């Protein structure tokens, strides 16, 4: 079992990372506070605890990645999280993004399609800190119909199209932040479900995510 240590050195590096993310354009203080609070080095192999505080994505198990801190902050800012909101995340991966959302006191439901990644998080002691964070093994294209509808949905893998079942599971007034596109680059979109059910779409910057895949594995 791994022992986790969050030293003053780690906290200092995290403060610097937070300032880097701020300079790149993130202005929501609650998002920056969550980035400053969540010990990102716990989510990576202990050999990488310095790299954990560089603003870049990094490989985790099963050829997946922990998203770049700036990307996590960017998607979280677009979601405009309020305490107690119900959030669905597609693509748990390392559980770093999910922890940032839980740190902001949302009720977080996160789905991962790879059994091995799901199992790693079951044994990850730090995550017990968040009773408001629930893990599911399943296919994100299906969402979580029995737990929905959700105030917000965040997709953290490159979606080839907007999954219709996720749109269905948004509350009226709800928002979904999702990188859409096939190939190396995706467009970050924010969809808002109007009270009458109509969907409006806003287009943001380009990002590069690992692909969202169908089925479980
Ligand atoms: N949010 C993660 C980043 C994960 S990378 C973090 O903070 O570290 C994308 C993740 O999405 C991978 O773990 C991948 O296995 C998962 N994924 C891809 N397609 C999926 C699907 N259809 N349903 C659920 N998870 C999926």
């Amino acid at each position: 079992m791994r022992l986790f240590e969050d030293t003053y050195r780690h906290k200092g590096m995290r403060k610097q990372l937070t300032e880097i993310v701020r300079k790149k354009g993130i202005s929501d203080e609650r998002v920056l506070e969550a980035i400053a609070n969540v010990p990102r080095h716990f989510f990576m192999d202990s050999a990488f605890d310095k790299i954990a505080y560089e603003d870049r994505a990094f490989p985790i198990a099963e050829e997946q990645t922990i998203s770049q801190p700036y990307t996590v902050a960017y998607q979280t800012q677009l979601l405009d999280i309020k305490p107690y909101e119900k959030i669905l995340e597609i693509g748990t991966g390392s559980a770093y993004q999910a922890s940032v959302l839980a740190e902001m006191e949302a009720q977080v439901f996160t789905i991962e399609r790879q059994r091995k990644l799901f199992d790693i998080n079951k044994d990850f002691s730090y995550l017990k800190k968040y009773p408001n964070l629930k893990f599911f093994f399943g296919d994100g294209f299906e969402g979580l119909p029995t737990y929905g509808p959700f105030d917000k949905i965040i997709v953290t893998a490159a979606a080839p199209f907007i999954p219709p079942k996720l749109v269905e599971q948004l509350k009226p007034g709800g928002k979904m932040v999702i990188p859409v596109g096939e190939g190396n680059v995706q467009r970050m979109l924010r969809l808002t479900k109007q009270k009458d059910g109509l969907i409006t779409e806003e287009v943001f910057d380009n990002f590069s995510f690992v692909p969202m895949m169908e089925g479980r594995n």
Side-chain angles (χ1 to χ4, degrees):
M1 191 167 138
R2 251 187 85 184
L3 277 178
F4 294 107
E5 243 197 318
D6 192 27
T7 64
Y8 281 109
R9 189 178 64 94
H10 292 116
K11 290 190 174 81
M13 289 193 288
R14 204 145 68 234
K15 193 86 202 110
Q16 282 178 352
L17 171 65
T18 307
E19 291 314 309
I20 289 169
V21 167
R22 187 198 295 278
K23 285 206 184 78
K24 288 185 177 172
I26 304 301
S27 55
D28 184 329
E29 291 299 332
R30 291 190 64 236
V31 174
L32 293 165
E33 198 184 313
I35 298 286
N37 286 343
V38 179
R40 189 168 185 259
H41 66 288
F42 288 5
F43 298 77
M44 293 165 52
D45 201 293
S46 57
F48 303 117
D49 72 342
K50 234 184 170 145
I51 291 170
Y53 295 109
E54 290 177 14
D55 187 26
R56 56 163 158 140
F58 206 75
I60 55 169
E62 306 302 295
E63 293 170 15
Q64 299 303 321
T65 58
I66 174 169
S67 298
Q68 184 178 342
Y70 171 69
T71 306
V72 170
Y74 191 98
Q75 285 195 285
T76 308
Q77 177 162 286
L78 285 181
L79 277 177
D80 190 20
I81 305 288
K82 312 257 178 7
Y84 312 114
E85 278 184 339
K86 266 171 81 174
I87 318 285
L88 174 64
E89 181 196 27
I90 311 303
T92 313
S94 69
Y96 175 67
Q97 169 77 72
S99 298
V100 167
L101 297 169
E103 186 71 31
M104 295 176 73
E105 296 171 80
Q107 278 179 264
V108 186
F109 301 77
T110 182
I111 314 179
E112 173 56 54
R113 70 178 284 280
Q114 295 214 48
R115 180 100 225 175
K116 189 158 172 216
L117 294 176
F118 173 78
D119 286 343
I120 289 172
N121 286 326
K122 265 200 315 213
D123 300 331
F124 183 2
S125 57
Y126 171 77
L127 299 176
K128 311 254 184 295
K129 171 178 176 189
Y130 300 116
N132 52 331
L133 173 50
K134 303 243 172 345
F135 293 88
F136 298 84
F137 172 54
D139 178 2
F141 281 99
E142 301 296 322
L144 278 180
T146 46
Y147 293 84
F150 298 93
D151 296 291
K152 310 279 166 69
I153 299 179
I154 173 173
V155 179
T156 67
F161 53 86
I162 295 163
K165 289 183 182 163
L166 296 185
V167 177
E168 275 170 30
Q169 290 168 37
L170 264 186
K171 285 185 190 172
K175 290 183 195 301
M176 169 153 62
V177 173
I178 177 169
V180 180
E182 284 171 289
N184 292 334
V185 175
Q186 302 87 42
R187 272 268 175 211
M188 193 66 76
L189 304 183
R190 180 167 63 185
L191 311 181
T192 304
K193 192 184 247 184
Q194 307 298 328
K195 299 271 185 265
D196 60 8
L198 277 178
I199 305 293
T200 57
E201 184 181 302
E202 298 163 277
V203 180
F204 295 93
D205 296 334
N206 283 336
F207 288 87
S208 196
F209 284 82
V210 297
M212 182 172 179
M213 319 240 268
E214 309 242 6
R216 298 190 300 185
N217 185 2

